Amino acid sequence: MNGISAAHSIGIIGTGRVAQALALALGKHSSALPLIWGRSTDKSKEAATRIGHAKAVDTLSSLASSSDIVAIAVSDDAVGPIAARLAPLLHGSDRTPFVFHVSGRSGTAILDPLREMGALTAAIHPAMTFTGNPREEVVRMAGACFAVTGSSDLASDLGKRIVSLLGGNAVEIAEDRRALYHAALCHAANHLVTLLEGSSQILSAAGVHEPHAVLAPLVRAAMENSLTHGFDALSGPVLRGDRETIAGHIAALGEYCSQALPAYRAMALATIDELEAREAPVPLAAVREELG
């Protein structure tokens, strides 16, 4: 296979949010209904019904024998076992299927059993969250970035072509940097949720009944400024070297919301580290001492 067109059939392994969105989006480019397989026959049928333009199959063998393009859209820990289970089904095939997974943490090495059977393999990870509405997510994938790692130049090109069909933007990530890439996304998205929950708890302890209403304008502005200006968007008492303000925060958190204190301290120290690396305009040793 040296390209991707509407002449190819598509198989989706998995029945969850990402699997459903991929089936709906890629099904538009398939000459036949995309095939869905999962460990639960009932869930496979439910997913196909929800997508509307897909067909559930009972066995992985049926999907393997009928698909030129196979997307493995399962949990991170399940990718390896699925690859090992799928590989023998490709033995003796006169086709060269393109198989990719959508896990963020793994590259293509996890698909080596398939590559050894002649498949072209890649890792294609969408840098976005999926909420469970396939139609909305098809729209959101258009314009999203996808990390592409291929086991060969041809596989990388095919991965980029898949991203193009989804309307996304391909970003090449080297095999040995996949975990680093995934850590960056988790640090930004997952830890942000934890950070905001901590801020909400602090506001609640301060007597605010709707903390999210207070936080929303501030956080949205900070996020937009940060994405536009990077670290230059920083403001606040650490930037100013305001030791007394920081001391007041530490004391208040210790008294009224101690569970948030370790995260506050860690983030403030990380901010000082970055400021000092950039030759901060004010001395920060006293603030660092206050933070402990």
Side-chain angles (χ1 to χ4, degrees):
M1 181 176 66
N2 56 15
I4 296 173
S5 70
H8 291 99
S9 55
I10 295 169
I12 308 291
I13 298 175
T15 59
R17 297 173 179 180
V18 181
Q20 291 179 39
L22 285 175
L24 187 60
L26 294 176
K28 302 173 184 178
H29 306 283
S30 174
S31 58
L33 291 177
L35 304 179
I36 301 281
W37 177 84
R39 288 176 296 179
S40 166
T41 301
D42 288 341
K43 287 186 177 180
S44 298
K45 291 178 179 178
E46 288 172 7
T49 299
R50 189 169 191 209
I51 296 162
H53 185 77
K55 178 183 178 182
V57 292
D58 294 332
T59 66
L60 186 58
S61 178
S62 296
L63 183 143
S65 64
S66 303
S67 304
D68 297 309
I69 301 167
V70 177
I72 301 176
V74 297
S75 66
D76 290 348
D77 288 346
V79 174
I82 285 291
R85 185 174 174 182
L86 181 62
L89 302 177
L90 303 182
H91 181 70
S93 173
D94 58 357
R95 296 179 296 106
T96 304
F98 176 55
V99 184
F100 67 93
H101 71 73
V102 295
S103 169
R105 80 178 189 198
S106 301
T108 62
I110 201 168
L111 301 181
D112 276 353
L114 296 162
R115 182 180 57 79
E116 291 166 2
M117 288 295 179
L120 293 164
T121 57
I124 305 174
H125 178 252
M128 58 174 277
T129 57
F130 291 77
T131 58
N133 187 320
R135 282 161 182 76
E136 286 185 2
E137 279 145 7
V138 167
V139 175
R140 290 177 58 222
M141 282 192 291
C145 288
F146 291 72
V148 175
T149 305
S151 58
S152 66
D153 289 343
L154 177 55
S156 292
D157 289 343
L158 291 175
K160 293 174 187 176
R161 177 62 177 147
I162 288 288
V163 173
S164 178
L165 293 178
L166 295 171
N169 301 305
V171 178
E172 286 196 76
I173 302 293
E175 179 79 17
D176 64 353
R177 302 299 172 92
R178 290 288 294 199
L180 190 63
Y181 152 82
H182 196 231
L185 299 192
C186 291
H187 190 41
N190 304 155
H191 296 171
L192 177 61
V193 174
T194 305
L195 177 64
L196 291 177
E197 176 58 24
S199 295
S200 296
Q201 291 174 7
I202 296 169
L203 283 172
S204 294
V208 176
H209 297 299
E210 296 184 11
H212 289 172
V214 175
L215 287 172
L218 174 69
V219 171
R220 289 188 178 114
M223 183 181 71
E224 290 298 329
N225 287 339
S226 179
L227 291 173
T228 302
H229 302 292
F231 198 69
D232 289 339
L234 182 69
S235 62
V238 173
L239 176 64
R240 298 189 297 267
D242 193 339
R243 178 175 184 170
E244 290 188 11
T245 299
I246 297 298
H249 291 177
I250 296 294
L253 288 169
E255 183 174 358
Y256 298 108
C257 198
S258 59
Q259 73 271 20
L261 186 52
Y264 177 94
R265 181 177 279 119
M267 291 304 299
L269 288 170
T271 303
I272 290 173
D273 289 343
E274 185 62 27
L275 282 168
E276 290 180 339
R278 295 167 178 258
E279 299 182 351
V282 297
L284 295 172
V287 178
R288 185 185 291 278
E289 181 182 348
E290 197 66 50
L291 289 162

